[in-house]
Amino acid sequence: MERRGAAAGGDVCMCQTVFPTHANHRGELSAGQLLKWMDAAACLAAEKHAGVSCVTASMDDIQFEEAARVGQIITIKTKVNRAFKTSMEVGIKVTVQDVLTDVEKTVSVAYATYVAKPVGAGKIELEPVKLLSTDDHLEHTLAIERRRIRLGYEQVFQNLMQESNKEGDYYGTFEEEDAVSTDLTHVQSIELVQPPHANHHGNTFGGQIMAWMETVASISASRLCHSYPVLKSVNMFKFWGPSVVGDRLVFNAIVNNTFRNSVEVGVRVEAYNCEEWIKDQARHINSAFLIFNSINDKGELLTFPRIKPTTKDGVRRYHGAIARRKIRLARKCMLSAKEKPSDPWETSNQAYVTYSNIAALTHLAAKPAWEITGTLDDIKIWTHEEGDVLSLKVEMQVKIPSHLAFSLLSDFTFRQQWDKHFLTCEVLQAVNEDEKIYYVTSPPMTGHKPRDFVILVSQRQPCKPSEPYAVAVKSVTLTSMPPSPEYCRSEILCAGFQIYSDSNSSCTVCYFNQVTSGVMPYLAANLTGSSKSIEDTALECIKFLELKGSKY
């Protein structure tokens, strides 16, 4: 097996001026054209790292935040964030610059997966990406979390569909007055793949297929709103198989559901070579769901009419659109929220809550300008202030292997044995082997009620020796565990441990906690209080770990 890859990874910057041929009737850059450019730039980054031809495997949910107009300049920056065995995650950032005002705005940030395709039957294994900056390290770590979301997406979707079934009336009559039949929105288009549509190996560009999908989906949406729809987001392009020069691609688009000011259009792409075309033997190569808005001449959002599915499959797609919207809204809420201490724990957002949990700890640990405020033998205490947010870092040298420290610190039922701020701790929900939800109570402070917490604990093992073990903590909201009048419900913004291996018998444990000024007097579930209290708790933690570790 051959190992391939540029040591420094693949960074590509592409600039394009928006000309009238790239624009729609409003003089705005066509979304299809932008998708082609994004795919081309990302593919170049992937091939720069791999050193061989690459093909698009998938592109995560894409949100379009700004429109680019004729005469403006589009800049697309792409970078390989992480290389797995034969695939890579490529980060894509699109900005638009007005040459007259020099104002630059972000159009979209997206992530795509590319697979290395060597010539012939040989196999390759990609080299790791060389991490040169703090941002490189952050994206490299979070790429694993995004990969978990991709792999778990289908299960989350199926769980939401099952919940929809349980709610009853799944196959309702849909007799809403003025509802439009989805049959009226069905559009079919056929494209012949020619050499300009493909790379030098004859494989159709993923971006070209995405552009064709956007065109047919836009026509489908326009039949419902009788105006010109605007693409706002895409629910994950996933390529199930390749197509090549000479293939006939059949695009079928239909409206799945409407949500007042938006509409979801599903597109299915099937490929045929000459023989398959004659025998009507289709290859399903791609599916995606595109979400459109529609605006009037004043820039105001138009309301879409309700739709009425007419078949059993149409009903399935109708409810599927509702499930995808729940996931979309959860993603948007989680990834755009800043310093939001407590998130609802629901089927639609669990993957994004755990992602934000790990991401918050990773970002906190990577912050610059930590100030050391105390040292004591094997303990160092650091603080970081930013606005009204105070962050604490406690570094401890522990004489046990890192994997044992991780095992002991990730089980919060042990916490009472060394942390006086934990009065009780019980597992409310074992989500999976890496995520648990705990209910914690804390002793009362003078003049105040005892406090309680509902926290999510996410644990991650390193993918390679140089990476730390991670135990991330944040508050969540469970409907089954509402606040009690006996306690003052408190929230943890971001806390947790990173554990680095120093040798076979020792490790460095770093504890982090981030709080806002409103909860600074009650830093529960952490090493807190005065400097003496922090040191005492840290010493108890080291003593606990080394005592427990000696028994293994």
Coordinates of all heavy atoms in Angstrom, one line a residue, residues 360-406:
A360 N -16.5 23.4 22.2 CA -16.3 24.5 23.1 C -15.1 24.3 24.0 O -14.3 25.2 24.2 CB -17.5 24.6 24.0
L361 N -14.9 23.0 24.4 CA -13.7 22.7 25.2 C -12.4 22.9 24.4 O -11.4 23.4 24.9 CB -13.8 21.3 25.8 CG -12.6 20.8 26.6 CD1 -12.4 21.6 27.8 CD2 -12.7 19.3 26.9
T362 N -12.5 22.4 23.1 CA -11.3 22.5 22.3 C -10.9 24.0 22.0 O -9.7 24.3 22.1 CB -11.6 21.8 20.9 OG1 -12.0 20.5 21.2 CG2 -10.4 21.8 20.0
H363 N -11.9 24.8 21.8 CA -11.7 26.2 21.6 C -11.1 26.9 22.8 O -10.2 27.8 22.8 CB -12.9 27.0 21.1 CG -13.2 26.8 19.6 ND1 -12.6 27.5 18.6 CD2 -14.1 25.9 19.0 CE1 -13.0 27.1 17.5 NE2 -13.9 26.1 17.6
L364 N -11.7 26.5 24.0 CA -11.3 27.1 25.2 C -9.8 26.8 25.5 O -9.0 27.6 25.9 CB -12.2 26.6 26.4 CG -11.8 27.1 27.8 CD1 -11.8 28.6 27.9 CD2 -12.8 26.5 28.8
A365 N -9.4 25.5 25.3 CA -8.1 25.1 25.6 C -7.1 25.8 24.7 O -5.9 26.0 25.0 CB -8.0 23.6 25.4
A366 N -7.5 26.1 23.5 CA -6.6 26.7 22.5 C -6.5 28.3 22.6 O -5.7 28.9 21.8 CB -7.1 26.4 21.1
K367 N -7.2 28.9 23.5 CA -7.2 30.3 23.6 C -5.8 30.8 24.0 O -5.1 30.2 24.8 CB -8.2 30.8 24.6 CG -9.6 30.8 24.2 CD -10.6 31.4 25.2 CE -12.0 31.4 24.8 NZ -12.2 32.4 23.7
P368 N -5.4 31.9 23.4 CA -4.0 32.5 23.7 C -4.1 33.3 25.0 O -5.2 33.6 25.5 CB -3.7 33.3 22.5 CG -5.0 33.8 22.0 CD -6.0 32.6 22.3
A369 N -3.0 33.7 25.4 CA -2.9 34.7 26.5 C -3.4 34.3 27.9 O -4.1 35.1 28.6 CB -3.5 36.1 26.1
W370 N -3.3 33.0 28.2 CA -3.6 32.6 29.6 C -2.6 33.2 30.5 O -1.4 33.2 30.3 CB -3.5 31.0 29.7 CG -4.7 30.3 29.0 CD1 -4.8 29.9 27.7 CD2 -5.9 30.0 29.7 NE1 -6.0 29.3 27.5 CE2 -6.7 29.3 28.7 CE3 -6.4 30.1 31.0 CZ2 -8.0 28.8 29.0 CZ3 -7.7 29.6 31.3 CH2 -8.4 29.0 30.3
E371 N -3.0 33.6 31.7 CA -2.1 34.2 32.7 C -2.0 33.3 33.9 O -3.0 32.9 34.5 CB -2.7 35.6 33.1 CG -2.7 36.6 32.0 CD -3.1 38.0 32.6 OE1 -3.4 38.1 33.8 OE2 -3.3 38.9 31.8
I372 N -0.8 33.0 34.2 CA -0.5 32.1 35.4 C -0.7 32.9 36.7 O -0.3 34.0 36.8 CB 0.9 31.5 35.3 CG1 1.0 30.4 36.4 CG2 2.0 32.5 35.5 CD1 2.1 29.4 36.1
T373 N -1.5 32.3 37.6 CA -1.9 33.0 38.8 C -1.4 32.3 40.1 O -1.5 32.8 41.2 CB -3.4 33.3 38.9 OG1 -4.1 32.0 38.9 CG2 -3.9 34.1 37.8
G374 N -0.9 31.1 39.9 CA -0.5 30.3 41.1 C 0.2 29.1 40.7 O -0.1 28.4 39.7
T375 N 1.2 28.7 41.5 CA 1.9 27.4 41.3 C 2.1 26.8 42.7 O 2.3 27.4 43.7 CB 3.3 27.6 40.7 OG1 4.1 28.5 41.5 CG2 3.2 28.2 39.3
L376 N 2.1 25.4 42.7 CA 2.3 24.7 43.9 C 2.7 23.3 43.6 O 1.9 22.5 43.1 CB 1.1 24.6 44.8 CG 1.2 23.7 46.1 CD1 2.1 24.4 47.1 CD2 -0.2 23.6 46.7
D377 N 4.0 23.0 43.7 CA 4.6 21.7 43.4 C 4.1 21.2 42.0 O 4.5 21.7 41.0 CB 4.2 20.7 44.4 CG 4.8 21.0 45.8 OD1 5.9 21.6 45.8 OD2 4.1 20.8 46.8
D378 N 3.2 20.3 41.9 CA 2.7 19.7 40.7 C 1.5 20.4 40.1 O 0.8 19.8 39.3 CB 2.5 18.2 40.9 CG 3.7 17.4 41.2 OD1 4.8 17.8 40.7 OD2 3.6 16.4 41.9
I379 N 1.2 21.6 40.6 CA -0.1 22.2 40.2 C 0.3 23.6 39.7 O 1.0 24.4 40.3 CB -1.0 22.3 41.4 CG1 -1.4 20.9 41.9 CG2 -2.3 23.1 41.0 CD1 -2.1 21.0 43.2
K380 N -0.4 24.0 38.6 CA -0.3 25.4 38.1 C -1.7 25.9 37.8 O -2.6 25.1 37.3 CB 0.5 25.4 36.8 CG 2.0 25.2 36.9 CD 2.7 25.3 35.6 CE 4.2 25.0 35.8 NZ 4.9 25.0 34.5
I381 N -2.0 27.1 38.2 CA -3.3 27.7 38.0 C -3.2 28.9 37.0 O -2.4 29.7 37.2 CB -3.9 28.1 39.3 CG1 -4.0 27.0 40.3 CG2 -5.3 28.7 39.1 CD1 -4.4 27.4 41.7
W382 N -4.1 28.9 36.0 CA -4.1 29.9 35.0 C -5.5 30.5 34.9 O -6.5 29.8 35.2 CB -3.8 29.3 33.6 CG -2.6 28.5 33.6 CD1 -2.4 27.2 34.1 CD2 -1.3 28.7 32.9 NE1 -1.2 26.7 33.8 CE2 -0.5 27.6 33.1 CE3 -0.8 29.8 32.2 CZ2 0.8 27.5 32.6 CZ3 0.5 29.8 31.7 CH2 1.3 28.6 31.9
T383 N -5.6 31.8 34.5 CA -6.9 32.4 34.2 C -6.8 33.1 32.9 O -5.8 33.5 32.4 CB -7.3 33.4 35.3 OG1 -6.3 34.4 35.4 CG2 -7.5 32.7 36.7
H384 N -8.1 33.3 32.4 CA -8.2 34.0 31.1 C -9.5 34.9 31.1 O -10.5 34.3 31.4 CB -8.2 33.0 29.9 CG -8.3 33.7 28.6 ND1 -9.5 34.2 28.0 CD2 -7.3 33.9 27.6 CE1 -9.2 34.7 26.8 NE2 -7.9 34.5 26.6
E385 N -9.4 36.2 30.9 CA -10.5 37.0 30.9 C -10.8 37.6 29.6 O -9.9 38.0 28.8 CB -10.3 38.2 31.9 CG -10.3 37.7 33.4 CD -10.3 38.9 34.3 OE1 -11.2 39.8 34.2 OE2 -9.4 39.0 35.2
E386 N -12.1 37.5 29.2 CA -12.5 38.0 27.9 C -13.9 38.6 28.0 O -14.9 37.8 28.1 CB -12.5 36.9 26.8 CG -12.7 37.4 25.4 CD -12.5 36.3 24.4 OE1 -12.2 35.1 24.8 OE2 -12.7 36.5 23.2
G387 N -14.1 39.9 28.1 CA -15.4 40.5 28.3 C -15.8 40.2 29.7 O -15.1 40.3 30.7
D388 N -17.1 39.7 29.9 CA -17.6 39.3 31.2 C -17.4 37.8 31.4 O -18.0 37.2 32.3 CB -19.0 39.7 31.4 CG -19.9 38.9 30.4 OD1 -19.4 38.3 29.4 OD2 -21.2 38.9 30.6
V389 N -16.5 37.1 30.7 CA -16.3 35.7 30.8 C -14.9 35.4 31.4 O -13.9 35.9 30.9 CB -16.4 35.0 29.4 CG1 -16.1 33.5 29.6 CG2 -17.8 35.2 28.8
L390 N -14.9 34.7 32.5 CA -13.7 34.3 33.2 C -13.5 32.8 33.0 O -14.4 32.0 33.2 CB -13.8 34.6 34.7 CG -12.6 34.1 35.5 CD1 -11.3 34.9 35.2 CD2 -12.9 34.2 37.0
S391 N -12.3 32.4 32.6 CA -12.0 31.0 32.3 C -10.8 30.6 33.3 O -9.9 31.4 33.5 CB -11.5 30.8 30.9 OG -12.6 31.1 30.0
L392 N -10.9 29.4 33.7 CA -9.9 28.9 34.7 C -9.3 27.6 34.1 O -10.0 26.8 33.4 CB -10.7 28.5 36.0 CG -9.8 27.8 37.1 CD1 -8.9 28.8 37.7 CD2 -10.8 27.2 38.1
K393 N -8.0 27.5 34.3 CA -7.2 26.3 33.8 C -6.4 25.9 35.0 O -5.6 26.7 35.6 CB -6.4 26.7 32.6 CG -5.4 25.5 32.2 CD -4.6 26.0 31.0 CE -3.5 25.0 30.6 NZ -2.7 25.4 29.5
V394 N -6.5 24.6 35.3 CA -5.7 24.0 36.4 C -4.9 22.8 35.8 O -5.5 21.9 35.2 CB -6.5 23.5 37.6 CG1 -5.6 22.9 38.6 CG2 -7.4 24.6 38.1
E395 N -3.6 23.0 35.8 CA -2.7 21.9 35.2 C -2.1 21.1 36.4 O -1.5 21.6 37.3 CB -1.6 22.6 34.4 CG -0.7 21.7 33.7 CD 0.4 22.4 32.9 OE1 0.0 23.2 32.0 OE2 1.6 22.3 33.3
M396 N -2.2 19.8 36.3 CA -1.8 18.9 37.3 C -0.9 17.8 36.7 O -1.2 17.2 35.7 CB -3.0 18.2 38.0 CG -3.9 19.2 38.7 SD -5.5 18.4 39.2 CE -6.4 18.5 37.7
Q397 N 0.2 17.5 37.4 CA 1.1 16.4 37.0 C 0.7 15.2 37.8 O 0.8 15.2 39.0 CB 2.6 16.8 37.2 CG 3.0 18.1 36.5 CD 2.9 18.0 35.0 OE1 3.2 16.9 34.4 NE2 2.4 19.0 34.4
V398 N 0.4 14.1 37.1 CA -0.1 12.9 37.8 C 0.7 11.7 37.4 O 1.0 11.5 36.3 CB -1.6 12.7 37.5 CG1 -2.2 11.5 38.3 CG2 -2.4 14.0 37.7
K399 N 1.0 10.9 38.4 CA 1.9 9.7 38.2 C 1.1 8.5 38.0 O 1.2 7.5 38.7 CB 2.9 9.5 39.4 CG 3.9 10.7 39.6 CD 4.8 10.4 40.7 CE 5.8 11.5 40.9 NZ 5.2 12.9 41.1
I400 N 0.2 8.5 36.9 CA -0.5 7.3 36.4 C -0.6 7.5 34.9 O -0.5 8.6 34.4 CB -1.9 7.1 37.1 CG1 -2.8 8.3 36.6 CG2 -1.8 7.0 38.6 CD1 -4.3 8.0 37.0
P401 N -0.8 6.4 34.2 CA -0.9 6.4 32.7 C -2.1 7.3 32.3 O -3.1 7.3 33.1 CB -1.1 5.0 32.3 CG -0.5 4.2 33.4 CD -0.8 5.0 34.7
S402 N -2.0 7.9 31.2 CA -3.1 8.8 30.7 C -4.4 8.1 30.6 O -5.5 8.7 30.8 CB -2.7 9.5 29.4 OG -2.3 8.6 28.5
H403 N -4.4 6.8 30.1 CA -5.6 6.1 29.8 C -6.4 5.8 31.1 O -7.6 5.8 31.2 CB -5.4 4.9 29.0 CG -4.7 3.8 29.8 ND1 -3.4 3.7 29.9 CD2 -5.2 2.7 30.5 CE1 -3.0 2.6 30.6 NE2 -4.1 2.0 31.0
L404 N -5.6 5.6 32.2 CA -6.3 5.4 33.5 C -6.9 6.7 34.1 O -8.0 6.7 34.6 CB -5.3 4.9 34.5 CG -4.9 3.4 34.4 CD1 -3.9 3.0 35.5 CD2 -6.2 2.5 34.5
A405 N -6.2 7.8 33.9 CA -6.7 9.1 34.3 C -8.0 9.4 33.6 O -9.0 9.9 34.2 CB -5.6 10.2 34.1
F406 N -8.0 9.1 32.3 CA -9.2 9.4 31.5 C -10.3 8.5 32.0 O -11.5 9.0 32.1 CB -8.8 9.0 30.0 CG -10.0 9.0 29.1 CD1 -10.7 10.2 28.8 CD2 -10.5 7.8 28.6 CE1 -11.8 10.2 27.9 CE2 -11.5 7.8 27.7 CZ -12.2 9.0 27.4

